[in-house]
Amino acid sequence: MLRELQTFMAVVRYGTFANAAAHIGLTQSAVSAQIQRLEEELGYPLFDRTGRAAHLNGNGREALAIAEELMAVYAKFGGNASTPKTGLIRIGSIASAQTTFLMDALAEFWSVNPGYRIRLVPGLSLNLLGQVDSGEVDIAVMIKPPFALPADLRWRVLFNEPFVLMAPQKLAHREWRELLENEPFIRYDRGSFGGRLVDHFLRRARLSVTEAIELDELQAIAQLVRRGVGVALLPLSKSLSVPRGVVIKDLGDATFYREIGLVERPSDSRQPVAALLAQRIAEAAERFSVRRP
């Protein structure tokens, strides 16, 4: 709740949600989300919302006085060098990162910072992006979106994964374009950023496919290919175990990539220790990308 209280005090100080957002490095929607979350936790509204200005109501004035006391007490902890470093860090992650380099990073970080608790929040990239923007998580490992990030968010590239065509072994003698045009297509969910990359590739290449099944789980798609349901375009990720009986076809000059990275808020709007964890993640991802086949 500390982050929400800081945002609440910023709104009071700067008069509007927009002005507060500009000063604390969040979007206006993120500020609105944090205030709404604080009001839900407290059980009552804090502002009389009329026009653009945010006017404190009676409950809000009482809450402000208590918030100022709480933040003053909290500041004393920071001034005590002997106080153990503790707290909660919330990190979002797509599924493929959770089973590979992210676990190395979390183990390394916690071994030297045992006072911190880490909460791992799983999700699709689109949802994770919104959670970072709203302050629900501190940082997130995700697929780069096919659109510009909000101006106040920072993107750090970790590595790229090439897309390949996966087909049943019995179709190994045929070219990838012919397979896409003539075999049933198992589609990587268009609701995900990776699936949008596939959709964009098909449209750019002017390929018409016959869709059979659409889903988001990469391992499940590979298993459907093994069972002879159809062919699929998937990122060649080390987290993906390619089943026996599945052939991988390189797309050659048409190859496109899924960019995996870390999205963060500005340093003045998140816990400083989150930057240390982000660096551990970047280092673990670099080692992971070097040993990827």
Side-chain angles (χ1 to χ4, degrees):
M1 186 184 287
L2 285 173
R3 182 176 289 107
E4 285 77 11
L5 289 175
Q6 289 173 327
T7 300
F8 167 53
M9 293 171 66
V11 172
V12 175
R13 178 179 181 183
Y14 297 110
T16 68
F17 285 22
N19 287 343
H23 282 84
I24 64 177
L26 293 176
T27 62
Q28 184 174 341
S29 61
V31 169
S32 298
Q34 289 195 20
I35 296 300
Q36 181 179 359
R37 191 158 58 245
L38 179 60
E39 289 177 330
E40 289 174 352
E41 290 187 21
L42 295 175
Y44 49 78
L46 299 168
F47 297 96
D48 292 326
R49 292 171 172 81
T50 54
R52 294 184 177 181
H55 299 290
L56 283 174
N57 57 28
N59 289 331
R61 285 189 289 274
E62 292 181 10
L64 177 62
I66 297 172
E68 290 173 341
E69 291 179 12
L70 288 173
M71 297 308 296
V73 171
Y74 181 73
K76 293 180 181 179
F77 285 101
N80 186 355
S82 63
T83 301
K85 299 300 182 181
T86 62
L88 172 66
I89 307 173
R90 296 163 296 184
I91 174 172
S93 175
I94 56 174
S96 60
Q98 293 176 40
T99 58
T100 52
F101 66 93
L102 185 56
M103 294 304 101
D104 291 338
L106 294 183
E108 292 169 4
F109 174 85
W110 193 82
S111 68
V112 295
N113 300 279
Y116 285 97
R117 291 183 297 121
I118 300 172
R119 182 188 175 198
L120 182 60
V121 180
L124 298 178
S125 294
L126 180 60
N127 296 334
L128 294 174
L129 180 62
Q131 289 173 310
V132 175
D133 190 28
S134 67
E136 293 177 64
V137 299
D138 297 295
I139 53 179
V141 179
M142 53 177 276
I143 304 168
K144 185 177 182 180
F147 51 80
L149 289 175
D152 61 320
L153 296 185
R154 174 191 174 195
W155 176 258
R156 188 190 306 205
V157 180
L158 298 178
F159 54 82
N160 291 303
E161 295 174 334
F163 275 79
V164 296
L165 180 76
M166 294 191 182
Q169 184 67 47
K170 65 181 180 181
L171 304 178
H173 62 286
R174 294 165 61 182
E175 295 296 324
W176 65 263
R177 181 178 286 271
E178 178 192 355
L179 289 171
L180 284 171
E181 290 176 335
N182 295 285
E183 295 298 323
F185 184 61
I186 307 167
R187 183 183 280 275
Y188 186 0
D189 182 13
R190 278 168 287 202
S192 68
F193 290 162
R196 293 189 197 185
L197 292 172
V198 170
D199 191 55
H200 180 69
F201 168 76
L202 293 173
R203 287 188 281 107
R204 188 178 68 247
R206 298 182 179 179
L207 286 164
S208 178
V209 296
T210 303
E211 295 184 21
I213 302 176
E214 181 172 347
L215 66 163
D216 181 63
E217 176 54 48
L218 301 185
Q219 197 64 55
I221 295 175
Q223 288 295 335
L224 289 172
V225 174
R226 184 185 71 82
R227 286 168 168 77
V229 174
V231 301
L233 289 166
L234 293 178
L236 191 57
S237 170
K238 187 159 184 166
S239 66
L240 179 63
S241 177
V242 181
R244 289 186 178 182
V246 172
V247 63
I248 295 175
K249 288 189 169 288
D250 190 281
L251 302 179
D253 293 340
T255 300
F256 60 109
Y257 297 84
R258 181 174 83 159
E259 186 174 301
I260 305 298
L262 193 66
V263 63
E264 309 168 74
R265 295 197 313 282
S267 58
D268 60 352
S269 65
R270 58 176 163 82
Q271 298 186 74
V273 73
L276 299 178
L277 178 54
Q279 184 58 35
R280 290 286 188 179
I281 293 172
E283 292 168 358
E286 183 177 7
R287 295 194 301 268
F288 172 75
S289 63
V290 169
R291 67 174 182 260
R292 282 171 57 232

